[in-house]
């Protein structure tokens, strides 16, 4: 069975959930071979085995985090040449798409982005135009390079050998042109990452102020959720930009999306429409967001949300 | 500084966007066309850098005849001139074709800095800036929420999930911007009038020295094999808060096993 190369998403310590999703998908297409860049492979080995990784190509150095994207693409191109995989899977994150794009240029292979499913013939499903249209597509030149949307595949455990195969690799001068000289981490607490979270609670203009976003955070924390925001909120500076959900923000696809004080403009819907379950709190019964709601409460969020938080506490206690 | 801003004309998100029955490509006639929103931020950043450091801003757009509307708008914001890559053979190009074509033009017209939007609202691939950097062999400074140029040194803040990275490189370079970077200016009346006289050079595949076998729908490395409008979501339960809205919401979450 041919290998399916998977670019692991991790932060050196923990493996991102999307990596397990990609391995789960890869098992249906061939033999999952994870490509691990940078440190941490040994401690991740057991978890990667749990989801069925057959092999882990480990390239601890150079410090991939010191350069923007290019070294990872070079490494993948080398592996793609030697391993002759049937497909290359990457997370559809900012970086995953960029690595995939560079790999496509290097190999001349076709690339598909924001894919939500792949079948055994390597035909891919996409949802485009803000959730309006389902598309099937395929790569017809070379080996498919496929960037898969986080949370689109349900990770399922299956035993794998996860044999570590060390790879030695030196990035070219060209790949080291954009140097990362510092990392500024914004306060975020212990919340899960927006695109990874199985529950997302988002606040919109209805929340009214930066201070009131604490209410959204409180509900999110009760649910173990990530916090999101509409553009009205990030534009007003009530919440940082990286939490924006929508056309020009993140695309999320959680099990549960809770939209609070959000009207549901098409650009917002573009980023959350494929969520499995959607709950809405809005005082305007005409708000378009209700069209998407599995459950909606027409009411003032300042009454509904505190009561919801209290109810969750009661049920937990 | 010779700054080139890549601008794409896209269907307005507000209008209904669909694909063509005949070849599954974007039905550009079905929707109003606008400048891809993030490209306005790219234009603004180009203008600001040129104002601060001197130099010229050239707009580069690949697209059908109608893309001249987007080009004029970019010029009316203050860009100096434009190159319009237009050729029937380009229609339906995928990422590989588009990046090859844009890189060919950039190689020919030259640049110190190429600025793009980080993503287009129709294709939404977000891969093109990286692919251009790869093709041109210059540093990739993408997802910039801040750009600083000092002589030939350039540094950016690269937006990340956790905050941002600071990234440094030497010109020439490719930059892509996020909407946090600036507030695009509106064209003034004077700007709109002046734009009518600014030079727009049209280039065909042959002019740009692009091999027709590398672009267009027929040569795309990926293809759409089918599509359908998504069925609307099933109508959910909507309740009105009568002092018990939160409790009812909790009931729903419990029923679905979220709590
Ligand atoms: C090119 C482009 C790209 C865009 N990209 C994005 C994007 O990525 N993400 C995004 O979100 N938007 C995006 N937008 C903006 C989008 O069009 C909307 O303007 C935005 O989503 C509105 O945010 P909102 O729903 O929070 O605010 P509003 O539309 O103002 O809605 C606020 C809602 O809160 C309700 N409300 C008010 N007070 C209360 C209360 N006390 N209790 C309960 N409900 C209350 C109101 O009834 C209303 O429905 C984009 C726009 C353009 C043109
Ligand atoms: N046909 C085009 N002509 C000029 N620039 C383009 C074109 N297509 C994409 N771009 C640029 O590439 C960016 C990213 O687009 P995309 O990779 O399609 O999401 C856009 O914001 C534009 O700046």
């Amino acid at each position: 069975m041919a290998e399916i190369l998977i670019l692991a998403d991790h932060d050196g310590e923990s493996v991102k959930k999307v990596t397990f999703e990609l391995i789960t998908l890869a098992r249906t297409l061939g033999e999952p071979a994870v490509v691990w860049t940078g440190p941490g492979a040994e401690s991740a080995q057991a978890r990667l085995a749990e989801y069925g990784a057959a092999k882990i190509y480990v390239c601890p150095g150079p410090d991939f985090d010191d350069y923007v994207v290019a070294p990872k693409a070079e490494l993948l191109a080398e592996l793609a040449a030697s391993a002759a995989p049937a497909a290359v899977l990457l997370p559809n994150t900012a970086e995953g798409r960029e690595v995939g794009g560079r790999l496509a240029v290097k190999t001349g292979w076709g690339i598909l982005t924001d894919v939500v499913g792949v079948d055994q013939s390597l035909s891919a499903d996409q949802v485009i135009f803000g959730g309006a249209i389902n598309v099937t597509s395929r790569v017809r030149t070379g080996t498919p390079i496929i960037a898969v949307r986080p949370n689109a595949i349900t990770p399922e455990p299956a035993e794998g050998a996860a044999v570590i195969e060390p790879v030695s690799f030196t990035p070219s001068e060209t790949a080291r042109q954009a140097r990362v000289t510092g990392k500024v981490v914004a306060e975020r607490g212990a919340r899960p990452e927006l695109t990874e979270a199985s529950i997302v609670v988002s606040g919109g203009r209805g929340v009214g102020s930066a201070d009131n976003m604490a209410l959204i955070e409180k509900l999110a924390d009760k649910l173990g959720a990530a916090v999101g925001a509409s553009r009205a909120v990030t534009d007003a500076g009530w919440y940082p930009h990286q939490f924006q959900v929508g056309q020009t923000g993140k695309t999320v696809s959680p099990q549960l999306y809770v939209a609070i004080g959000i009207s549901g403009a098409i650009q917002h819907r573009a980023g959350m429409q494929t969520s499995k379950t959607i709950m809405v709190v809005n005082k305007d019964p005409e708000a378009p967001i209700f069209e998407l709601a599995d459950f909606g409460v027409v009411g003032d969020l300042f009454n509904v949300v505190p009561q919801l938080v209290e109810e969750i506490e009661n049920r937990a206690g | 500084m010779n700054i080139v801003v890549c601008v794409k004309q896209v269907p307005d998100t507000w209008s209904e966007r669909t694909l063509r029955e005949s070849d599954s490509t974007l039905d550009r006639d079905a929707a109003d066309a606008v400048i891809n929103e993030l490209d306005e931020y790219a234009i603004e950043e180009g203008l600001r850098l040129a104002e601060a450091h001197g130099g010229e801003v050239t707009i580069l757009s690949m697209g059908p005849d109608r893309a001249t509307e987007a080009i004029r708008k970019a010029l009316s914001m203050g860009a100096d001139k434009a190159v319009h890559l237009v050729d029937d053979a380009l229609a339906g190009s995928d990422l590989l074709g588009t990046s090859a074509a844009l890189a060919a033009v950039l190689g020919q017209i030259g640049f110190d800095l190429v600025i793009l939007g980080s993503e287009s609202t129709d294709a939404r691939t977000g891969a093109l800036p990286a692919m251009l950097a790869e093709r041109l062999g210059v540093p990739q400074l993408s997802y910039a929420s801040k750009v600083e140029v000092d002589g030939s040194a350039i540094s950016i803040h690269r937006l990340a999930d956790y905050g941002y990275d600071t990234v440094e490189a030497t010109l020439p370079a490719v930059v892509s911007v996020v909407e946090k970077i600036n507030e695009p200016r509106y064209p003034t009346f004077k700007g709109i009038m002046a734009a009518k006289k600014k030079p727009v050079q049209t280039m065909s595949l042959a002019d740009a020295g692009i091999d027709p076998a590398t672009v267009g729908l027929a040569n795309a490395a990926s293809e759409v094999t089918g599509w359908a409008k998504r069925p609307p979501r099933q109508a959910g339960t909507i309740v009105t808060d009568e002092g018990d809205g939160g409790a009812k919401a909790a009931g729903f979450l419990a029923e679905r096993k979220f709590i």
Side-chain angles (χ1 to χ4, degrees):
Chain A
M1 214 169 17
E3 281 181 12
I4 307 294
L5 285 185
I6 300 160
L7 180 64
D9 194 356
H10 67 88
D11 60 11
E13 286 162 25
S14 57
V15 187
K16 298 283 172 66
K17 194 170 101 211
V18 66
T19 307
F20 303 126
E21 296 166 8
L22 296 179
I23 300 173
T24 303
L25 173 62
R27 290 202 317 256
T28 65
L29 310 174
E31 199 177 69
V34 174
V35 180
W36 188 279
T37 57
E42 285 73 19
S43 52
Q45 188 179 14
R47 299 228 50 206
L48 297 171
E50 248 175 75
Y51 285 88
K55 195 187 273 183
I56 315 172
Y57 290 108
V58 177
C59 186
D63 203 342
F64 287 92
D65 287 345
D66 287 350
Y67 309 100
V68 177
V69 172
K72 286 186 184 168
E74 258 181 22
L75 171 67
L76 271 187
E78 282 194 21
L79 286 171
S82 59
V88 181
L89 303 183
L90 311 110
N92 194 67
T93 54
E95 179 169 299
R97 299 185 301 185
E98 294 184 330
V99 174
R102 283 181 167 262
L103 180 63
V105 170
K106 286 175 191 294
T107 55
W109 300 344
I111 176 171
L112 301 171
T113 60
D114 204 14
V115 164
V116 296
V118 182
D119 74 10
Q120 274 160 359
S121 67
L122 295 171
S123 165
D125 296 323
Q126 291 160 309
V127 183
I128 63 165
F129 298 160
I133 294 181
N134 286 335
V135 166
T136 54
S137 49
R138 69 176 191 104
V139 163
R140 59 179 182 200
T141 308
T143 301
I145 302 169
I146 304 177
V148 182
R149 182 188 291 185
N151 260 334
I153 311 282
T154 309
E156 279 159 24
E159 210 48 46
V163 181
I164 286 190
E165 193 158 314
V167 182
S168 73
F169 159 75
T170 318
S172 69
E173 277 301 313
T174 321
R176 290 186 288 184
Q177 289 173 325
R179 303 176 305 278
V180 177
T181 52
K183 177 169 172 169
V184 178
V185 179
E187 284 279 357
R188 185 172 65 112
R191 285 187 201 105
E193 213 161 90
L194 191 50
T195 50
E196 289 235 310
S198 46
I199 304 183
V200 174
V201 180
S202 287
R205 199 195 310 272
V207 172
S209 70
D211 288 345
N212 289 345
M213 280 300 286
L215 190 58
I216 303 297
E217 290 183 326
K218 198 161 171 198
L219 176 59
D221 291 343
K222 287 281 169 255
L223 292 167
V227 172
S230 75
R231 176 156 160 191
V233 167
T234 55
D235 270 359
W238 299 347
Y239 219 67
H241 179 84
Q242 61 262 36
F243 297 97
Q244 182 176 315
V245 171
Q247 180 176 289
T248 43
K250 297 268 157 56
T251 301
V252 300
S253 206
Q255 295 299 322
L256 171 67
Y257 187 84
V258 185
I260 299 175
I262 293 176
S263 64
I266 180 95
Q267 296 88 355
H268 187 78
R269 294 158 70 137
M272 46 68 72
Q273 193 141 15
T274 55
S275 305
K276 275 63 164 196
T277 304
I278 296 174
M279 188 164 105
V280 168
V281 179
N282 194 308
K283 67 179 181 190
D284 173 11
E286 303 295 319
I289 191 82
F290 280 114
E291 290 162 21
L292 302 181
D294 295 289
F295 190 83
V297 181
V298 180
D300 191 322
L301 70 93
F302 296 103
N303 299 328
V304 176
V305 175
Q307 187 179 67
L308 173 56
V309 168
E310 206 183 296
E311 278 287 326
I312 298 173
E313 279 167 356
N314 290 344
R315 281 167 198 260
Chain B
M1 197 166 29
N2 181 3
I3 301 171
V4 182
V5 181
C6 292
V7 171
K8 182 183 192 183
Q9 191 183 42
V10 297
D12 193 345
T13 329
W14 293 107
S15 51
E16 193 185 353
R17 294 171 297 176
T18 187
L19 299 177
R20 265 204 296 250
E21 293 291 347
S22 55
D23 60 0
S24 298
T25 62
L26 176 66
D27 189 347
R28 291 182 189 276
D29 303 326
D32 298 335
V34 295
I35 291 189
N36 179 43
E37 198 204 18
L38 283 174
D39 300 354
E40 293 186 18
Y41 294 77
I43 298 165
E44 176 65 35
E45 201 57 24
L47 295 174
R48 288 187 189 189
L49 287 170
E51 280 156 12
H53 302 281
E56 264 194 334
V57 177
T58 305
I59 302 300
L60 168 58
S61 189
M62 160 177 150
D65 284 335
R66 191 180 177 188
T68 46
E69 302 159 10
I71 290 172
R72 286 293 165 199
K73 166 135 196 235
L75 292 173
S76 68
M77 285 173 72
D80 299 286
K81 56 188 171 52
V83 176
H84 183 185
L85 179 63
V86 49
D87 200 306
D88 290 342
L90 285 164
S93 295
D94 65 352
L95 272 169
L96 279 170
T98 303
S99 61
L102 290 175
V105 177
L106 285 164
Q108 209 177 89
I109 64 180
F111 61 91
D112 297 309
L113 189 58
V114 181
I115 311 182
L116 301 90
S118 53
E119 190 174 292
S120 61
T121 56
D122 56 348
R124 293 202 72 184
T125 75
L128 200 70
M131 293 174 84
L132 272 188
E134 174 75 36
R135 288 200 187 274
L136 298 165
V138 303
Q140 169 193 328
L141 305 171
S142 50
Y143 291 95
S145 58
K146 183 176 176 184
V147 177
E148 272 173 343
V149 174
D150 181 6
S152 66
I154 178 163
S155 63
I156 67 153
H157 288 179
R158 172 173 162 87
L159 200 71
D161 287 330
Y162 46 78
Y164 63 86
D165 287 334
T166 52
V167 181
E168 293 176 6
T170 308
L171 296 176
V174 170
V175 165
S176 83
V177 302
V178 298
E179 65 196 5
K180 200 186 164 194
I181 195 166
N182 58 40
E183 198 48 60
R185 65 194 69 182
Y186 288 104
T188 59
F189 180 70
K190 214 172 120 210
I192 294 167
M193 295 315 288
K196 295 189 170 144
K197 297 193 202 79
K198 288 179 176 170
V200 178
Q201 182 193 352
T202 33
M203 271 194 180
S204 65
L205 283 187
D207 297 334
I210 299 165
D211 177 359
T214 59
V215 295
L217 187 63
N219 300 305
S222 54
E223 66 177 344
V224 171
T225 50
W227 61 275
K229 294 208 167 144
R230 254 166 96 83
R233 286 179 83 99
Q234 263 192 316
T237 309
I238 310 293
V239 300
T240 303
D241 180 31
E242 284 157 354
D244 58 353
K248 283 187 172 152
F252 171 77
L253 293 181
E255 185 191 307
R256 295 290 177 100
K257 307 229 173 341
F258 289 114
I259 54 175

